Amino acid sequence: MGHVIAIDGPAGAGKSTIARLVAEKLGYIYIDTGAMYRAIAVWSSRTMTAAGDAHRLEQLAISAEIELLPGRRVRLNGEDVTDAIRTPDISALASQIASIGAVRAALVSKQRQIAENSNVVMEGRDIGSVVFPDARVKIFLDADPAERVRRRAAEQPGEHPGALTAQIAERDQRDRSRAESPLVQAPDATYLDSTGMTQQQVEDEILRIVRARISNGKAGSVADAPGQASSAAGETR
Ligand code: DC
């Protein structure tokens, strides 16, 4: 089992950018678990599977071959779905299907499998709380809702700010209040509010936290969850 750095937080907090940079600096593999939920959402949409059909969605999640490739490219069953997973409809659908326990179990199993033999920076909602409760470093990255909307608007210039505000509020509400693995800060995670910080400042702060943990011997061995079969590959940066 490799070292795990868990970065959790709400939509638009800047997790992906920071997690990628940190992975690159440390020579770890970067894993965007949100992309995995999004890939299942794309498949369910194409197969017209109802968002409430838990059994069928579980089957899709178990059998999906998800590859996370360099440059944030994502392949589902051999097809490049990088752009398809980022539409507003898929964002909403991913959040809906992420509330189904059996779908989560299937994807968590793939996530644990990836960390079996690799050091990873894994970002999501439940990485420190559920997927790797014994991760050596856990960070909960937050920012106030207005700032998160501004950051998303910069990434998606075509989107109306009002629509983005509504989408993020709705996803926040669903991700935080669902019964299965809701977005919560793990008790032993370091909370970082990045509101008003530059990307460089956030990166420096996270690297400082990670290095402090590692030099304390906390990351000297490994994290710590059983894995099962998965075809997901990681992005090596
Ligand atoms: O990080 P993201 O916005 O790409 O994630 C898309 C959705 O997937 C998000 O609304 C909640 C869900 N998700 C989750 O429930 N658990 C994770 N570890 C990652 C994402």
Side-chain angles (χ1 to χ4, degrees):
M1 190 72 82
H3 299 170
V4 176
I5 296 175
I7 303 185
D8 291 301
K15 300 186 299 293
S16 302
T17 311
I18 292 300
R20 247 191 350 259
L21 287 167
V22 171
E24 192 175 343
K25 282 262 156 66
L26 299 176
Y28 284 22
I29 289 174
Y30 161 64
I31 301 294
D32 171 4
T33 60
M36 300 172 78
Y37 289 91
R38 288 170 180 272
I40 304 306
V42 165
W43 200 5
S44 74
S45 157
R46 289 182 179 173
T47 51
M48 295 200 284
T49 305
D53 187 346
H55 179 67
R56 174 81 183 127
L57 288 167
E58 176 188 17
Q59 298 307 312
L60 297 185
I62 289 171
S63 56
E65 291 195 13
I66 303 167
E67 295 169 87
L68 306 175
L69 303 168
R72 266 195 117 192
R73 303 210 70 76
V74 179
R75 266 207 297 254
L76 169 67
N77 302 329
E79 180 196 341
D80 190 317
V81 291
T82 307
D83 296 328
I85 64 169
R86 299 286 164 202
T87 67
D89 284 353
I90 292 299
S91 299
L93 188 55
S95 168
Q96 276 174 284
I97 67 168
S99 65
I100 299 170
V103 169
R104 302 199 69 81
L107 295 186
V108 166
S109 154
K110 293 182 196 291
Q111 292 153 15
R112 289 176 178 160
Q113 170 72 22
I114 296 168
E116 285 253 292
N117 300 309
S118 310
N119 297 327
V120 297
V121 178
M122 197 173 281
E123 60 126 324
R125 303 293 188 287
D126 60 339
I127 309 306
S129 56
V130 172
V131 186
F132 293 107
D134 298 323
R136 295 316 191 211
V137 185
K138 300 182 188 180
I139 291 162
F140 192 90
L141 185 62
D142 206 356
D144 77 24
E147 174 121 1
R148 293 192 281 117
V149 169
R150 273 197 298 279
R151 289 178 188 166
R152 271 293 144 97
E155 282 169 18
Q156 302 172 347
E159 278 295 313
H160 188 272
L164 275 177
T165 305
Q167 285 162 21
I168 286 191
E170 190 189 330
R171 281 213 288 150
D172 275 0
Q173 152 69 15
R174 195 184 295 114
D175 295 345
R176 287 182 202 273
S177 63
R178 66 181 176 224
E180 293 286 340
S181 309
L183 170 65
V184 288
Q185 183 186 342
D188 53 347
T190 303
Y191 180 82
L192 180 59
D193 181 353
S194 68
T195 310
M197 290 171 77
T198 64
Q199 191 174 298
Q200 186 63 52
Q201 287 169 328
V202 178
E203 184 190 340
D204 290 348
E205 182 58 15
I206 289 186
L207 282 171
R208 194 191 61 70
I209 296 165
V210 168
R211 290 190 170 124
R213 292 277 179 133
I214 288 174
S215 65
N216 275 343
K218 290 273 293 181
S221 70
V222 290
D224 311 297
Q228 292 169 27
S230 158
S231 60
E235 174 174 350
T236 311
R237 304 280 307 198

